[in-house]
């Protein structure tokens, strides 16, 4: 049983988008993947899969909504990989996901308003006994400014955390993909698609490093 958790403090940072992208790439690589959508208010991953199914877009991504982490974890044994997508500010669910996941992805923007809560969340996890190695920060919805990106990487490194390679810029292409039920890695626009593929590949590489 392998699990990757996607957690965050703030909503709208691109967490579900990255979770769906990761699920898509593992599914394409013929893993049997479950996406446990734990955000019962938004059900972002679930809705994306419904749009995908309505367009007969392959492969089918197995997304199910679970009100609790326990219920999701009870299913996890049946799959090669379970991806847990949490709601923002879901303190208890986040702690439970952090406990069970092999790898924890915290997506963040580049502004201090994003970086500070990201590091605060990571510190809280460590206080609760979560290993630092399990935590990986992903840069999402970024401006495209190289300087801002470098400063954000430094900020995360100085705080003692691992960050993934690459980033997803804030781009209409990612919303278009979402509207079509696609993963950002399936965007019809080459630049954004390659960014998403690089970021997901970095998740896969990190997963192989720490859980493989
Ligand atoms: N890199 C991006 N560029 C543009 N829009 C994005 C990007 N990432 C996500 N979005 C859009 O922003 C909204 C919130 O993204 P979502 O993945 O649901 O975030 P979260 O799960 O963190 O709340 C969605 O409409 C999504 O399509
Ligand atoms: Mg979400």
């Amino acid at each position: 049983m392998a699990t990757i958790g996607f957690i965050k403090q703030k909503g709208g940072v691109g967490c579900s988008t990255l979770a769906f992208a990761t699920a898509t790439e593992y599914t394409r690589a013929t893993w049997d993947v479950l996406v446990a959508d734990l955000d019962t208010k938004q059900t972002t991953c679930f809705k994306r899969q419904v749009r995908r199914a309505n367009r007969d877009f392959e492969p089918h991504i197995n997304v199910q909504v679970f009100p609790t982490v326990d219920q999701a974890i009870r299913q996890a044994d049946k799959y090669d990989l379970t991806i847990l997508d949490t709601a923002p500010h879901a303190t208890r669910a986040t702690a439970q996901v952090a406990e069970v996941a092999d790898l924890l992805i915290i997506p963040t923007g580049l502004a201090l308003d994003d970086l500070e809560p990201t590091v605060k969340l990571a510190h809280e996890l460590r206080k609760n006994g979560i290993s630092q190695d399990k935590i990986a920060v992903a840069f999402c919805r970024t401006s495209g400014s190289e300087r801002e990106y470098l400063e954000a990487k430094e900020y995360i490194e100085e705080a003692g955390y691992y960050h993934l390679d690459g980033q997803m810029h804030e781009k209409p292409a990612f919303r278009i993909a979402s509207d079509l039920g696609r993963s950002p890695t399936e965007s019809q626009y080459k630049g954004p698609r390659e960014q998403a593929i690089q970021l997901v590949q970095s998740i896969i590489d990190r997963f192989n490093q720490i859980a493989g």
Side-chain angles (χ1 to χ4, degrees):
M1 173 178 116
T3 54
I4 303 179
F6 289 77
I7 58 172
K8 62 191 179 288
Q9 286 281 19
K10 291 172 40 162
V13 75
C15 192
S16 298
T17 299
L18 191 55
F20 195 87
T22 306
T24 302
E25 293 315 301
Y26 272 105
T27 302
R28 274 190 191 290
T30 72
W31 288 46
D32 194 8
V33 179
L34 169 68
V35 180
D37 191 339
L38 295 160
D39 191 346
T40 50
K41 285 207 183 83
Q42 305 277 346
T43 61
T44 309
C45 286
F46 185 76
K47 284 191 219 147
R48 195 179 292 214
Q49 169 50 36
V50 170
R51 291 196 293 277
R52 185 180 185 88
N54 285 336
R55 290 170 184 271
D56 293 325
F57 202 68
E58 295 285 338
H60 170 78
I61 309 300
N62 181 10
V63 184
Q64 296 174 36
V65 178
F66 294 93
T68 68
V69 178
D70 284 338
Q71 281 164 291
I73 287 306
R74 259 179 252 143
Q75 300 302 313
D77 267 348
K78 299 182 196 157
Y79 298 91
D80 299 330
L81 174 69
T82 298
I83 286 183
L84 300 156
D85 183 30
T86 56
H89 310 296
T91 315
R92 184 168 147 68
T94 299
Q96 286 177 304
V97 166
E99 193 67 44
V100 298
D102 300 298
L103 174 63
L104 282 170
I105 308 295
I106 314 182
T108 183
L110 299 183
L112 264 186
D113 280 347
D114 299 303
L115 294 169
E116 278 174 355
T118 294
V119 166
K120 186 165 169 261
L121 172 59
H123 284 346
E124 277 164 16
L125 295 173
R126 287 186 56 207
K127 244 195 316 196
N128 294 334
I130 301 301
S131 152
Q132 192 166 347
D133 295 344
K134 240 164 77 160
I135 301 169
V137 172
F139 297 112
C140 292
R141 305 193 75 163
T142 58
S143 62
S145 153
E146 189 61 20
R147 178 167 171 187
E148 200 185 15
Y149 176 57
L150 291 176
E151 282 174 3
K153 288 204 286 191
E154 253 174 45
Y155 185 94
I156 296 300
E157 286 162 16
E158 274 169 22
Y161 295 101
Y162 182 85
H163 60 73
L164 300 161
D165 283 338
Q167 55 181 316
M168 276 199 275
H169 290 164
E170 167 69 35
K171 288 275 181 199
F174 293 126
R175 277 190 294 277
I176 294 167
S178 169
D179 291 349
L180 295 170
R182 292 187 186 186
S183 154
T185 56
E186 299 165 328
S187 167
Q188 55 209 314
Y189 303 100
K190 186 164 177 271
R193 180 176 69 240
E194 285 178 348
Q195 280 191 347
I197 288 171
Q198 187 191 359
L199 193 54
V200 171
Q201 187 58 51
S202 175
I203 292 176
I204 295 169
D205 292 345
R206 187 63 177 168
F207 179 79
N208 290 342
Q209 248 176 23
I210 65 172

